Amino acid sequence: MRRPTVLLTGATGAVGADLLQRLARRGDLAVKLLVRRSDRDPVERVRALLDYAEINATIDVIEGDVCAGRGLGASPDALRDLQHTTTHLIHCAGSTSFTLPITAARRANVDGSRNVLDFARDCPALECGAFLSTVYVSGKRCGDFAESDFGDGGLGFVNSYEESKAEMEEMISAAMSELPLILVRLSTVIGDSGTGRVRHFNTIHHAVRLLYSGLAPMIPGDPNEPVDIVSSDFVAEAVLRLVEHAPRPGVYHVAAGRESSSSLGDIIDETMSAIAVHRPQWRKRTIEKPLIVDLDTYELFVKSVEETGNPVLREATRSIRTFAYQLAHPKVFDTDRATAALADDGIAPQQSLDFYPRVVKYCLESNWGTRQC
Amino acid sequence: MSKRYVGIESIAEYLPPRVATVAELGARGLLNRSAVTLRSFGFETVHLAGDESNLDMAIAAAEKLLHETGIDRDEIGMILYAAALNSSSTLWNGNGVSRPGSVLDLGNVHDLFKYPASVLQTRLDLPNAAVVGVNQVGCASIFAALRMARALIATEDSLKAILCVSADKFPADQPRDLAYNLVSDGACAALVRRGAVRNRIVECTQVTKGALWDSDTIENEIIAAYFPTAAALIERTLKKARLTIDDIALVIPHNVSLRSWEILGRLIKCPADRIYTNNISKVGHTIASDNLLNLRHATDAGLVKKGDYMLLFTFGYGSNWASMVVQH
C-alpha cells in the first residue's frame, strides 16, 4: 500500500510553514510542496523553513504557481505525478493582504483556488482536499456565525481579503457534492502558544506596535465583546488532523469560539500590561490606554487625521483601519463541528489570554521581526 | 454661599482689534497648512496684536476687570501671572546665549530678571499684591494659576482676593497654525475671591506627561496621547467632584479645532449642544486665555444659570492636560 501523499500549497506562508514543519516529522507521509519561484529558488526557500526541523517524511518541492492555470504551473511530468499520487490536499496559498484591490485579491484567492479545485478533480486517489479560508468571510455580520453560515448576509465586507475568500467558499462548497472537500475557516493566527514566536507579522502585531509607540489613541469596538485569536500551533494541529480524518465535506471553524476568546477590553489591558512587564522603561512614557470607541467616533478621528495630512498618524490609522472595522462588528464563531472532529485527539484552542502575552513579548524582543531572538 | 467657597467672581478679556481671516493669513505666508484644512477644522478669523505687547494686553484685560468689579484694589493680595510663552519656559542652554532671534538672545543679562508680573503690579496700582509667575504649563497656565489661587485663598486667612492674568502674543512672523490649531493673540484676567457669588471652583485636576515635553519632535505622539488622556482626566475630575457628565450644563472648551471637540465630546459622552464652541471660529486659540474668555461669553449670553455646573478643559504643551469643574 502506498504511503499517503499530501500536497501542500503555500508552504512558505504564515500557516503553511507551520503545517510543513509538522508534516516533515511524519515518516509515514510523502509530502509534496508546490512552491512559487520568487527571488529565491523554491528548494532554497523550503530548506530555509526546515532549518533545525525534524525531517522524517519524504519531501518533494515542485516549482509551480496556483495562479498559473489548471496545471498549477508545474511541468507536465510533475503534474501527472501529483495527480496520481495526491491523497490529501491542503490549499494554503493565497493572499492575506487586507489592502489589495478586489481584482488582485480575487486573482490570488479565487482564481488560484479554482485552479486547485480543477486539479483536485483530476486526482483519483484524493481522500480529502482542504481549502483554507477565514472566519471573516462573515464580513460585517454581528453575533453568532455558525459553520453552516456562508458569506456576509448582505451586510458587506470590511476588506477585499474577506470578500475574495467568501467568493472562493461559494465555489468550493458547490463542489463538495462531487469531491471530498472541506473548508477550514481560520481565526486570526497570532503566534506560537508556547514561545510566542510569530512567523508572519500581521495587522494585530502592528497594532501592538502602535500601542507600544503611543500612536493608537483609539480603536473601534466594544470593550466587552470577544476578540477571536488563535495560536499557530493550534491551527496547524487542527488543520492536519481535520485533513487526515477526512471528515464529512463541509465547513470547520478553527477558532477560539465563545469559550476561549477574550474581550477586546481585556486584550488591550493585557497588551499594556505585557509591554510594561517586558519593557519597564516604557512606563516612563505614561502612554494612555487606547480608548475603545464607537465606529462613528473612530471614523471622525480617521477623517481628521486624513485631513491633517500627517503622514505618521495617517499610516497608523490606516493600518488599524484595515482590521479594526471587524472589531466594530463583533461576532462569536461557533465551533461545534470542528470541536467534535478534534475532540478525540484532544486538540482544542488555548485560552487567548494564556498565550497572548507571550506573543507580545516576542514582538518586543524581536522588534517586530527585525531582530533575532 | 459660604465664605469658605472660592470662586471666579469676574472675568475680563482683551482681544486686539486687528482681525485676520484664514485666507489673509495664508496670503501673508502665516500658515503651514492650507486655509481649506483650517476652515474644515472650524477656524475663520484670529486676532493679531499690533504694537501691543503681552504686558499691554495683560494690563488692558486686568484694568477692564478692576473697573467692572469696582473692587478695592488694596483687597487684592496676589497676582498670579500666567503666560504660556514666557521666556522662562524656554530651555536655556546654560551658556547665556540662545539661538539667535529667540527670547533668550540677550544683550543684557539683567533682562533675565525683568518680570512682567512686577510691572503689572505697579501699573495696576495693586500695592498689596505679591506677585508670582506661573509658566511652563503651556496653554494650561491659567488653570494652574486658578488652582493655586483657590488653594492659597483656602489656606491663608489674610488672602481674600487674587488676580489671575494670562496674556500671550504669538511671534508676529511665525505661522499661526500650530498642531492643526489656529493661534490668536489675547489676554484674560480673572478675580478669584473667597466667598465669590459665582463660579465656585469645585475641582481642579492636571496631568503632566513629561515624556512628551518636546512638542517639536514628537508631535505625533502628543496628538495621539491627546484624546485618551483628555477623556481619562475629565472622567477623573468629574469623579472627584462627585458628578457625571450629565450634571454638566455646559462644557467650556479651549478654542482648538472644532473637529477635536466633536471627537472629545463623543468620548466623554457630552452632546455637542452642551459644548460652548461659539468662539472657535471667530476668536481662535488664544493660548492660555480661551477658557476664561469663553466662560465670560457663555455667561453673558445667559447660557448658564445659578447653580449650574460647568466643565473647563484645556491642553498645554509640556505636555499638560487640565480640567476644572466650576459651579455658577
Side-chain angles (χ1 to χ4, degrees):
Chain A
M1 191 176 165
R2 276 196 314 194
R3 282 192 297 175
T5 299
V6 180
L7 171 61
L8 175 66
T9 71
T12 56
V15 175
D18 279 317
L19 291 171
L20 172 59
Q21 295 227 335
R22 280 167 173 74
L23 287 168
R25 286 184 212 139
R26 296 278 299 273
D28 58 334
L29 295 179
V31 178
K32 302 203 173 181
L33 310 172
L34 187 75
V35 181
R36 198 158 36 100
R37 177 176 286 278
S38 60
D39 52 339
R40 288 175 69 192
D41 178 73
V43 174
E44 286 304 312
R45 293 176 72 191
V46 170
R47 193 166 285 156
L49 287 170
L50 290 173
D51 252 2
Y52 308 110
E54 178 189 340
I55 303 176
N56 299 316
T58 311
I59 299 175
D60 287 326
V61 178
I62 295 114
E63 187 177 329
D65 182 349
V66 296
C67 290
R70 190 181 182 121
L72 307 181
S75 70
D77 285 350
L79 180 65
R80 205 173 304 115
D81 176 64
L82 282 178
Q83 288 166 339
H84 284 107
T85 57
T86 300
T87 56
H88 297 80
L89 162 68
I90 307 174
H91 176 44
C92 294
S95 169
T96 54
S97 168
F98 293 166
T99 55
L100 285 180
I102 185 64
T103 48
R106 278 188 184 124
R107 203 159 39 243
N109 294 330
V110 183
D111 296 350
S113 297
R114 183 179 296 112
N115 293 333
V116 174
L117 178 61
D118 287 342
F119 163 81
R121 289 191 170 104
D122 294 331
C123 296
L126 187 69
E127 293 175 26
C128 182
F131 285 72
L132 267 52
S133 184
T134 170
V135 290
Y136 293 106
V137 291
S138 48
K140 292 181 180 173
R141 285 181 192 238
C142 294
D144 290 344
F145 187 66
E147 288 158 309
S148 55
D149 290 330
F150 280 90
D152 62 335
L155 296 170
F157 297 96
V158 168
N159 52 51
S160 61
Y161 169 66
E162 298 174 358
E163 189 172 359
S164 62
K165 283 290 191 183
E167 291 176 12
M168 179 273 283
E169 284 200 357
E170 271 185 50
M171 181 175 66
I172 300 303
S173 60
M176 283 179 183
S177 57
E178 52 168 314
L179 290 170
L181 303 180
I182 59 171
L183 278 163
V184 184
R185 289 181 185 151
L186 306 184
S187 178
T188 307
V189 186
I190 63 158
D192 186 85
S193 66
T195 63
R197 183 182 176 197
V198 179
R199 196 179 283 281
H200 179 78
F201 289 87
N202 59 32
T203 49
I204 296 280
H205 307 105
H206 191 56
V208 172
R209 184 174 211 158
L210 292 174
L211 262 64
Y212 174 73
S213 309
L215 290 173
M218 56 188 85
I219 289 174
D222 180 327
N224 301 313
E225 291 291 347
V227 175
D228 202 300
I229 53 175
V230 286
S231 71
S232 50
D233 44 303
F234 162 64
V235 166
E237 292 290 343
V239 170
L240 288 182
R241 204 50 58 96
L242 283 170
V243 173
E244 202 165 15
H245 287 351
R248 263 190 331 154
V251 179
Y252 295 84
H253 282 177
V254 175
R258 190 180 298 280
E259 297 303 318
S260 301
S261 292
S262 299
S263 70
L264 176 58
D266 285 347
I267 293 274
I268 290 176
D269 284 348
E270 199 56 52
T271 308
M272 304 300 277
S273 301
I275 294 172
V277 166
H278 300 297
R279 286 283 180 279
Q281 288 293 310
W282 180 80
R283 286 173 188 270
K284 286 174 69 176
R285 296 174 61 194
T286 57
I287 290 172
E288 209 74 39
K289 192 169 72 173
L291 297 161
I292 301 172
V293 301
D294 60 71
L295 194 54
D296 287 347
T297 303
Y298 186 73
E299 292 276 20
L300 195 58
F301 176 69
V302 170
K303 184 180 171 197
S304 301
V305 169
E306 289 290 331
E307 283 178 5
T308 63
N310 181 311
V312 175
L313 290 176
R314 198 163 55 184
E315 158 71 19
T317 51
R318 281 181 182 175
S319 68
I320 289 180
R321 201 176 184 186
T322 54
F323 76 95
Y325 285 90
Q326 270 300 347
L327 300 173
H329 298 94
K331 46 188 82 80
V332 175
F333 302 107
D334 177 72
T335 59
D336 284 354
R337 275 186 202 159
T339 302
L342 299 169
D344 288 347
D345 297 301
I347 298 171
Q350 302 92 344
Q351 290 294 322
S352 303
L353 291 186
D354 286 349
F355 67 93
Y356 177 71
R358 285 192 275 278
V359 175
V360 175
K361 183 184 178 198
Y362 184 84
C363 289
L364 292 165
E365 291 183 345
S366 71
N367 193 32
W368 283 268
T370 62
R371 196 165 48 215
Q372 196 74 33
C373 68
Chain B
M1 189 170 284
S2 163
K3 287 201 176 267
R4 293 172 62 191
Y5 287 163
V6 179
I8 304 168
E9 189 158 277
S10 56
I11 296 165
E13 86 215 22
Y14 174 82
L15 290 171
R18 197 162 141 226
V19 171
T21 65
V22 172
E24 286 164 357
L25 293 173
R28 288 168 54 189
L30 292 178
L31 294 180
N32 290 311
R33 311 277 159 196
S34 75
V36 174
T37 301
L38 289 163
R39 272 203 216 94
S40 79
F41 286 172
F43 298 107
E44 290 294 339
T45 56
V46 289
H47 290 260
L48 302 178
D51 293 335
E52 310 100 311
S53 67
N54 286 339
L55 187 60
D56 294 333
M57 294 194 294
I59 291 169
E63 276 292 7
K64 186 176 168 191
L65 179 138
L66 294 170
H67 175 74
E68 283 181 357
T69 58
I71 188 174
D72 176 359
R73 296 189 183 213
D74 287 351
E75 199 187 314
I76 296 175
M78 183 170 280
I79 297 171
L80 291 175
Y81 189 101
L85 300 177
N86 192 290
S87 61
S88 296
S89 62
T90 301
L91 282 180
W92 188 32
N93 71 7
N95 296 322
V97 181
S98 189
R99 286 184 292 185
S102 79
V103 287
L104 288 175
D105 183 20
L106 298 169
N108 180 350
V109 77
H110 280 281
D111 287 351
L112 287 170
F113 300 96
K114 293 173 181 173
Y115 307 116
S118 299
V119 183
L120 194 64
Q121 189 240 30
T122 185
R123 296 267 180 89
L124 293 175
D125 189 21
L126 301 174
N128 294 332
V131 302
V132 174
V134 179
N135 57 19
Q136 301 189 34
V137 203
C139 305
S141 304
I142 197 69
F143 278 64
L146 293 168
R147 185 182 186 183
M148 289 159 83
R150 174 198 184 219
L152 286 165
I153 290 172
T155 52
E156 294 188 21
D157 284 345
S158 61
L159 204 49
K160 294 184 174 59
I162 293 179
L163 181 66
C164 295
V165 184
S166 70
D168 287 295
K169 178 182 178 180
F170 205 66
D173 57 348
Q174 292 295 311
R176 286 263 154 184
D177 52 329
L178 200 58
Y180 315 110
N181 297 306
L182 197 60
V183 177
S184 198
D185 297 324
C188 244
L191 183 66
V192 180
R193 208 170 188 181
R194 177 179 296 148
V197 296
R198 66 181 71 85
N199 298 331
R200 176 173 71 100
I201 300 172
V202 179
E203 199 57 69
C204 308
T205 52
Q206 180 187 327
V207 62
T208 300
K209 292 185 181 259
L212 301 177
W213 67 270
D214 190 349
S215 60
D216 198 8
T217 59
I218 54 167
E219 185 187 64
N220 297 321
E221 286 81 353
I222 293 171
I223 292 171
Y226 175 80
F227 288 111
T229 312
L233 182 74
I234 288 171
E235 188 183 339
R236 203 171 93 203
T237 309
L238 290 171
K239 195 173 175 186
K240 281 174 75 179
R242 298 181 181 189
L243 298 171
T244 70
I245 195 67
D246 294 335
D247 297 315
I248 300 297
L250 197 62
V251 171
I252 305 292
H254 55 337
N255 293 341
V256 293
S257 90
L258 191 56
R259 183 71 58 70
S260 76
W261 270 105
E262 285 174 39
I263 295 169
L264 188 53
R266 285 169 171 272
L267 298 179
I268 62 173
K269 297 185 171 39
C270 181
D273 62 1
R274 283 202 277 133
I275 304 174
Y276 182 77
T277 53
N278 305 29
N279 281 335
I280 291 175
S281 67
K282 58 187 179 190
V283 176
H285 180 36
T286 59
I287 314 281
S289 297
D290 289 351
N291 300 83
L292 286 178
L293 188 147
N294 291 340
L295 178 55
R296 165 81 192 242
H297 287 203
T299 306
D300 288 351
L303 298 178
V304 283
K305 58 184 189 300
K306 192 79 182 160
D308 277 351
Y309 288 103
M310 289 171 282
L311 174 79
L312 285 68
F313 172 80
T314 196
F315 166 80
Y317 274 146
S319 285
N320 303 282
W321 288 254
S323 69
M324 185 182 296
V325 171
V326 165
Q327 187 177 28
H328 193 58

